[in-house]
């Protein structure tokens, strides 16, 4: 029998703590697959966030540092300045990267730091029990917007991939998702491209990944994947926003 | 010679019964089994090995990476 798929070597063989069907696990696995295929696991240092991915260092067999909430890109910056030849990336939630850590994330892009950020956007604070995030859609119910997000009261959802794409130091900014095999394939392609650009010292690379939180959305995993496709990915349009290697797209 | 070998092998201890693989399989050959793992989940199983096209979609969708997929070297006549 020919192998079509086997668990990547860099993905530790442990049961993770994520809720059943949570897409965090898919994103972890894709990063592990790309690290294996590019033979970069020995060179990789990742920064874990505060959020549901706080224990990510238990799941990828590479070097990790745990950052205080929102400070991941600042720590990645320090690692990269001390060790310019390592592959340095942050793994963050939307609350971590776009709320408390917005300044750090923005300055990664503004300064053109040679690091990569993966921002898992599930439009909610998952870890703390489903509060509204800056990315929560208009009308979406959370524990702190129980009647649905109203922009007059709670402001508008932030589009991070577009914002990061506008900054001069950004080499690559894209948004992808994980709701079906096609979306998963695109995400993996972007992860690889971001790592290639970082190794070529092209500048800041940013991938926003539209994911799910079945638990706090109050949905089954299959319903949550459908919501990611039909609602989240409609507002947060998927595709490449900036790529210094290709032509800049919308 | 591998005709009887399973194309989809599930690591039952890793499965969390989320059913994403069941919903994504284009030929509908996966189901929740009646077995139970140590976390209390009913792991997924393949019930029609012949119909499986070894596309790998279930494996790439599984958040637990509990699935391995294999393709027979020689297709059956
Ligand atoms: C300084 C500080 N403020 C607030 C918190 C509480 N807190 C923990 S995780 C979190 C947000 C998590 O949301 P997100 O980053 O979107 O990650 P998710 O769990 O959704 O993956 C907050 C506000 C904290 N731990 N530290
Ligand atoms: S709370 Fe939400 S984001 Fe966190 S592990 Fe559970 S489903 Fe995933
Ligand atoms: S490999 Fe494809 S056809 Fe076979 S069980 Fe998985 S998804 Fe279904
Ligand atoms: S996707 Fe993975 S964890 Fe979910 S039911 Fe299928 S094998 Fe189990
Ligand atoms: Mg979140």
């Amino acid at each position: 029998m020919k192998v079509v798929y086997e668990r990547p070597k860099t993905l530790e063989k442990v049961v993770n703590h994520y809720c059943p069907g949570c897409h965090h696990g898919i994103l972890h696995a894709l990063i592990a697959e790309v690290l294996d295929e590019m033979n970069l696991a020995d060179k990789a240092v990742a920064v874990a966030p505060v959020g549901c991915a706080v224990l990510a260092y238990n799941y990828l067999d590479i070097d990790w540092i745990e950052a205080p909430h929102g400070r991941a890109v600042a720590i990645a910056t320090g690692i990269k300045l001390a060790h310019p030849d390592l592959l340095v990336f942050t793994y963050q939630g939307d609350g971590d990267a776009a709320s408390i850590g917005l300044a750090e994330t923005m300055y990664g892009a503004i300064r053109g730091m040679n690091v990569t950020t993966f921002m898992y956007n599930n439009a909610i604070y998952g870890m703390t029990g489903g509060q509204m995030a800056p990315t929560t859609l208009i009308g979406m119910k959370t524990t702190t917007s129980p009647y649905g997000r109203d922009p007059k009261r709670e402001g508008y959802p932030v589009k991070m991939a577009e914002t990061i794409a506008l900054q001069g130091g950004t080499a690559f900014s894209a948004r992808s998702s994980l709701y079906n095999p096609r979306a998963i394939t695109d995400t993996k392609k972007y992860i690889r491209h971001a790592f290639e650009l970082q190794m070529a010292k092209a500048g800041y690379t940013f991938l926003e990944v539209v994911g799910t939180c079945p638990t706090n959305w109050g949905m089954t995993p299959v319903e949550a994947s459908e919501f990611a496709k039909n609602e989240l990915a409609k507002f947060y349009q998927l595709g490449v926003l900036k790529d210094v290697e290709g032509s800049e797209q919308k | 010679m591998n005709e009887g070998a399973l194309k989809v092998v599930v690591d039952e201890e890793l499965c969390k019964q989320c059913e994403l693989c069941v919903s994504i399989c284009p030929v509908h050959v996966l189901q929740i089994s009646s077995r139970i793992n140590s976390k209390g989940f009913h792991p997924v199983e393949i019930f029609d090995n012949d119909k499986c096209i070894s596309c790998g979609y279930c494996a790439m969708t599984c958040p637990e990476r509990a699935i391995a997929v294999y393709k027979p070297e020689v297709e059956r006549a």
Side-chain angles (χ1 to χ4, degrees):
Chain A
M1 298 275 256
K2 222 178 87 210
V3 175
V4 175
Y5 190 91
E6 278 181 348
R7 195 180 169 88
K9 193 173 98 252
T10 292
L11 191 66
E12 301 269 14
K13 206 169 167 194
V14 293
V15 181
N16 66 46
H17 72 286
Y18 296 113
C19 306
C22 174
H23 288 185
H24 264 302
I26 308 178
L27 183 55
H28 283 30
L30 294 178
I31 296 170
E33 288 168 20
V34 174
L35 288 171
D36 284 355
E37 287 163 20
M38 294 179 74
N39 219 357
L40 279 173
D42 287 345
K43 274 192 154 189
V45 184
V47 186
V50 172
C52 278
V54 68
L55 300 176
Y57 45 75
N58 287 332
Y59 307 136
L60 262 60
D61 186 14
I62 57 175
D63 288 333
W64 285 88
I65 288 184
E66 170 60 44
H69 199 19
R71 309 286 102 92
V73 176
I75 289 182
T77 296
I79 299 167
K80 193 69 179 193
L81 290 175
H83 297 283
D85 294 326
L86 296 181
L87 178 84
V88 182
F89 68 88
T90 70
Y91 186 109
Q92 303 175 254
D94 48 325
D96 194 77
S99 187
I100 190 170
L102 181 63
E104 282 77 2
T105 312
M106 283 293 289
Y107 270 90
I110 293 167
R111 301 176 72 196
M113 284 315 303
N114 248 315
V115 300
T116 301
T117 291
F118 301 112
M119 186 189 95
Y120 181 87
N121 180 4
N122 53 8
I124 206 155
Y125 290 175
M127 183 199 208
T128 42
Q131 293 82 5
M132 197 192 79
T135 43
T136 297
L137 296 182
I138 304 288
M140 207 171 154
K141 287 182 181 163
T142 68
T143 55
T144 49
S145 59
Y147 306 108
R149 181 176 190 166
D150 177 352
K152 290 204 193 77
R153 208 170 35 223
E154 286 109 9
Y156 291 87
V158 58
K159 293 193 171 182
M160 281 300 283
E162 286 82 349
T163 306
I164 296 296
L166 288 172
Q167 309 311 315
T170 301
F172 178 71
S173 182
R175 186 184 292 112
S176 63
S177 193
L178 301 164
Y179 52 72
N180 68 19
R182 173 72 187 272
I184 291 168
T185 304
D186 283 347
T187 297
K188 185 167 169 181
K189 198 173 69 190
Y190 295 153
I191 295 170
R192 170 181 277 273
H193 191 55
F195 283 169
E196 282 167 354
L197 286 171
Q198 183 187 148
M199 293 320 275
K201 301 187 166 36
Y204 188 60
T205 43
F206 181 88
L207 180 60
E208 175 177 341
V209 181
V210 170
T212 61
C213 178
T215 300
N216 289 300
W217 292 357
M219 298 179 192
T220 66
V222 174
E223 287 166 355
S225 288
E226 285 296 301
F227 185 83
K229 179 179 175 205
N230 299 327
E231 304 295 333
L232 277 186
K234 256 201 200 110
F235 181 77
Y236 293 115
Q237 291 211 340
L238 309 184
V240 177
L241 281 311
K242 182 177 185 183
D243 184 356
V244 288
E245 255 194 6
S247 57
E248 288 187 25
Q249 294 163 22
K250 186 189 87 83
Chain B
M1 80 187 204
N2 285 316
E3 259 172 39
L6 285 181
K7 296 173 192 164
V8 167
V9 179
V10 179
D11 186 327
E12 301 201 339
E13 271 306 302
L14 293 178
C15 177
K16 290 183 189 158
Q17 199 188 334
C18 73
E19 301 192 32
L20 290 183
C21 57
V22 177
S23 76
I24 220 77
C25 173
V27 292
H28 312 291
V29 295
L30 299 175
Q31 66 185 11
I32 302 298
S33 73
S34 56
R35 291 179 298 283
I36 195 159
N37 68 19
S38 64
K39 293 256 190 286
F41 295 115
H42 295 286
V44 148
E45 66 183 3
I46 183 163
F47 65 87
D48 193 341
N49 195 52
D50 283 349
K51 256 207 208 153
C52 168
I53 55 173
S54 299
C55 64
Y57 283 5
C58 52
M60 63 196 282
T61 307
C62 176
E64 314 306 322
R65 288 312 195 245
I67 300 180
V69 176
Y70 302 94
K71 195 184 180 93
E73 301 280 359
V74 188
E75 285 298 317
R76 282 208 272 168

